């Protein structure tokens, strides 16, 4: 091939409207520099700031499909679009099980309007869940504040506080910057670009931050950082 691209072999039914993947997907922004088809797995991973293992996992869950060119997995632009939808869901904390249900509903959509409504309904539901979680966090923070105030009025508590060092979470400059951008809602692709990191390096950095806050995901880490006053909301 004169352009250096590898030949892409398909069985011909991967992205047809009547195949298991619907021709209708919600309007989710794609990278401006989208690689030409076929898209190698390395490019797919870099576009969305995920690992090859994550892409393999999504394929195991039938959320994506790929073909092989020699030993390399490659994807169509349609699968890149599907991954963009999956990535948005992942970024707002929707579980893989729920993402699977969303993609199945999208697969049964018979119009663009129906696909958009399926996606927006899922996002509205997740927003309600996050609002409830935030309310719980605020209530817990208030309870902690009340206990601290009560403790400050206890002379023995004051002595205990003097003997007990304040717990601090040490963050590197890169970790703090990453955390602040995460709090601003930066998606992985945008976050990696802002920090000048590759997708794999960003995953490592986020994992360190999540670990330092004893959180289960990036959203919980941000919430804890705000409640502890490490960063501002």
């Amino acid at each position: 091939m004169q352009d250096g691209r590898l030949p892409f072999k398909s069985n011909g039914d991967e992205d047809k409207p009547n195949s298991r993947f619907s021709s209708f997907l919600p309007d989710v922004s794609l990278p401006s520099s989208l690689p030409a088809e076929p898209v190698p797995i390395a490019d797919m991973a870099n576009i969305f700031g995920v690992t090859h293992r994550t892409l393999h996992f999504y394929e195991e869950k039938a959320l994506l499909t790929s073909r092989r060119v020699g030993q390399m997995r490659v994807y169509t632009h349609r699968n890149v679009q599907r991954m963009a939808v999956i990535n948005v869901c992942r970024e707002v904390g929707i579980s893989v099980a729920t993402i699977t249900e969303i993609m199945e509903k999208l697969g049964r959509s018979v119009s663009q309007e129906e696909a958009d409504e399926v996606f927006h309904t899922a996002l509205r539901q997740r927003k309600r869940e996050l609002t409830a979680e935030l309310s719980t966090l605020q209530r817990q923070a208030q309870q902690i504040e009340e206990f601290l105030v009560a403790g400050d009025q206890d002379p023995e508590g004051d002595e205990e506080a003097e003997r007990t060092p304040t717990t601090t979470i040490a963050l590197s400059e890169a970790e703090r910057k990453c955390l602040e951008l995460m709090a601003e809602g930066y998606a992985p692709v945008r976050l990696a670009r802002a920090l000048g990191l590759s997708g794999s390096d960003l995953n490592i950095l986020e994992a360190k931050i999540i670990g330092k806050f004893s959180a289960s995901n990036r959203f919980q880490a941000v919430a804890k950082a705000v409640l502890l006053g490490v960063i501002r909301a």
Side-chain angles (χ1 to χ4, degrees):
M1 303 280 292
Q2 291 182 349
D3 60 2
R5 290 169 53 200
L6 296 171
F8 181 61
K9 295 182 179 180
S10 171
N11 62 9
D13 63 359
E14 182 184 44
D15 294 321
K16 285 183 179 180
N18 293 325
S19 69
R20 67 178 184 178
F21 286 178
S22 168
S23 59
F24 300 106
L25 288 172
D27 185 15
V28 176
S29 61
L30 296 171
S32 56
S33 56
L34 189 64
E37 289 184 307
V39 180
I41 188 170
D43 289 345
M44 183 78 143
N46 287 333
I47 288 171
F48 296 104
V50 299
T51 63
H52 291 202
R53 184 176 180 179
T54 296
L55 294 174
H56 295 165
F57 174 73
Y58 289 153
E59 288 188 42
E60 291 172 1
K61 296 296 182 180
L63 296 173
L64 298 174
T65 61
S66 68
R67 295 290 183 268
R68 286 187 179 274
V69 175
Q71 297 299 314
M72 180 176 63
R73 272 186 167 91
V74 293
Y75 300 86
T76 63
H77 281 174
R78 192 61 177 171
N79 270 278
V80 176
Q81 291 175 316
R82 288 180 62 83
M83 183 59 194
V85 175
I86 294 168
N87 196 60
V88 169
C89 293
R90 183 176 66 94
E91 277 304 294
V92 298
I94 296 177
S95 68
V96 172
T98 303
I99 292 175
T100 301
E101 293 177 2
I102 293 169
M103 300 307 287
E104 288 176 351
K105 290 180 180 178
L106 289 173
R108 296 191 294 269
S109 298
V110 296
S111 68
Q112 187 62 53
E113 291 74 15
E114 183 179 348
D116 289 340
E117 181 57 28
V118 166
F119 189 55
H120 293 163
T121 297
L123 292 181
R124 284 192 289 266
Q125 174 60 30
R126 181 54 183 160
K127 183 178 179 180
R128 287 192 290 270
E129 293 171 354
L130 290 172
T131 299
E133 290 173 14
L134 181 58
S135 177
T136 299
L137 289 172
Q138 290 174 334
R139 184 177 67 254
Q140 291 172 342
Q142 181 61 36
Q143 290 175 332
I144 291 172
E145 183 64 24
E146 291 172 358
F147 281 122
L148 290 175
V149 170
D152 288 341
Q153 296 172 354
D154 183 356
E156 295 182 1
D158 290 340
E159 294 177 3
E160 181 65 24
E162 291 176 1
R163 293 194 298 268
T164 304
T166 302
T167 300
T168 59
I169 297 178
L171 297 175
S172 67
E173 183 178 349
E175 289 169 343
R176 182 175 295 278
K177 181 64 175 177
C178 180
L179 190 59
E180 290 172 347
L181 294 178
M182 286 163 60
E184 292 180 20
Y186 274 52
V189 177
R190 187 181 178 195
L191 184 57
R193 290 173 181 168
L195 298 174
L197 299 174
S198 66
S200 58
D201 287 340
L202 176 63
N203 288 336
I204 293 173
L205 183 61
E206 285 192 354
K208 289 181 179 179
I209 294 171
I210 291 170
K212 287 187 176 182
F213 285 93
S214 300
S216 58
N217 54 54
R218 69 200 310 258
F219 305 100
Q220 193 178 87
V222 169
K224 287 189 174 184
V226 172
L227 290 175
L228 292 172
V230 177
I231 60 172
R232 293 183 179 181

